[in-house]
Amino acid sequence: MNLPNRLTVLRIILVPFFVFFLLTGSSTLFRILALVLFCAASLTDLLDGKIARSRGLVTTFGKLMDPLADKILVMSAMVCFVRLGYAPAAVVIIILGREFLVTSLRLIAAGEGKVIAADRWGKIKTVTQMGWIIVTLLWIAAEPFLSVQGLSLEITAAFYLLMQLLMAASLFFTLLSGFNYCYQNRALFLHDM
């Protein structure tokens, strides 16, 4: 197994630990560990693709598992946010539905020998989702300190507003990129009708 594929597998292995630390108790240490693990897992996402392309190590395993590992990481964070009360279930269900739709579309295309690469909107979607998750994890980790330090309501409100705006942007770009993938590949749907 080459280095990029090892990084992909590492990302998947980190997910249960991330979820455990995020959902277990209200320990500040556990919250910080969850943030660190998510950031480390996200970093492996950046590294595996760069290494694979620069060294010519692109494999079928990597093409399949890299996007799957990304979805497992991102969706586990969002599902935890629902459980912890930081995200509405409807938003996460819509995002999850889009991921299933686009993945299914890619599988249909692969069956016909076509590859649907990530486009600009899909990349923007990923950046906004990661931004939302990291800011929310920062909030979760910092929340005990904020209440002890007695930060002003304006600062707390601004941080909360940033989380909400990033969640809204994530939802918007998730829907936009999903519609764009479906529109650009509508022939795949019409082919079997």
Side-chain angles (χ1 to χ4, degrees):
M1 183 176 287
N2 65 33
L3 178 59
N5 290 344
R6 285 185 191 144
L7 290 171
T8 297
V9 170
L10 175 63
R11 185 159 64 257
I12 294 169
I13 291 170
L14 288 176
V15 170
F17 295 98
F18 160 71
V19 170
F20 172 79
F21 286 123
L22 187 57
L23 294 181
T24 302
S26 58
S27 163
T28 302
L29 175 62
F30 278 17
R31 292 173 176 195
I32 292 169
L33 285 172
L35 171 64
V36 168
L37 285 173
F38 185 86
C39 290
S42 298
L43 186 59
T44 67
D45 182 30
L46 289 174
L47 290 175
D48 65 7
K50 281 189 175 193
I51 293 169
R53 286 185 296 277
S54 69
R55 297 183 186 176
L57 299 173
V58 176
T59 64
T60 303
F61 177 87
K63 287 178 187 177
L64 173 68
M65 294 307 293
D66 181 58
L68 182 61
D70 297 344
K71 286 172 183 29
I72 291 169
L73 176 65
V74 168
M75 295 315 302
S76 67
M78 290 183 188
V79 169
C80 288
F81 290 168
V82 172
R83 168 80 169 79
L84 295 170
Y86 291 100
V91 169
V92 175
I93 290 168
I94 291 168
I95 292 172
L96 185 57
R98 180 266 185 209
E99 297 302 339
F100 281 128
L101 176 67
V102 171
T103 299
S104 299
L105 190 60
R106 285 187 166 130
L107 289 172
I108 293 168
E112 296 188 9
K114 299 175 185 172
V115 175
I116 299 176
D119 67 3
R120 172 178 51 146
W121 299 114
K123 291 176 182 174
I124 292 171
K125 179 259 325 173
T126 300
V127 168
T128 57
Q129 286 179 354
M130 291 295 199
W132 169 38
I133 292 168
I134 290 171
V135 166
T136 303
L137 289 171
L138 278 168
W139 173 264
I140 291 169
E143 204 171 18
F145 298 112
L146 298 177
S147 60
V148 169
Q149 298 300 322
L151 253 64
S152 70
L153 283 175
E154 292 84 14
I155 293 173
T156 304
F159 203 96
Y160 183 78
L161 178 63
L162 177 61
M163 282 191 322
Q164 297 303 308
L165 289 173
L166 286 169
M167 180 176 62
S170 295
L171 181 61
F172 174 77
F173 286 113
T174 294
L175 290 171
L176 178 64
S177 66
F179 286 128
N180 187 56
Y181 279 117
C182 289
Y183 179 75
Q184 295 297 328
N185 298 285
R186 63 193 176 278
L188 290 171
F189 292 115
L190 300 175
H191 182 273
D192 289 333
M193 293 181 137

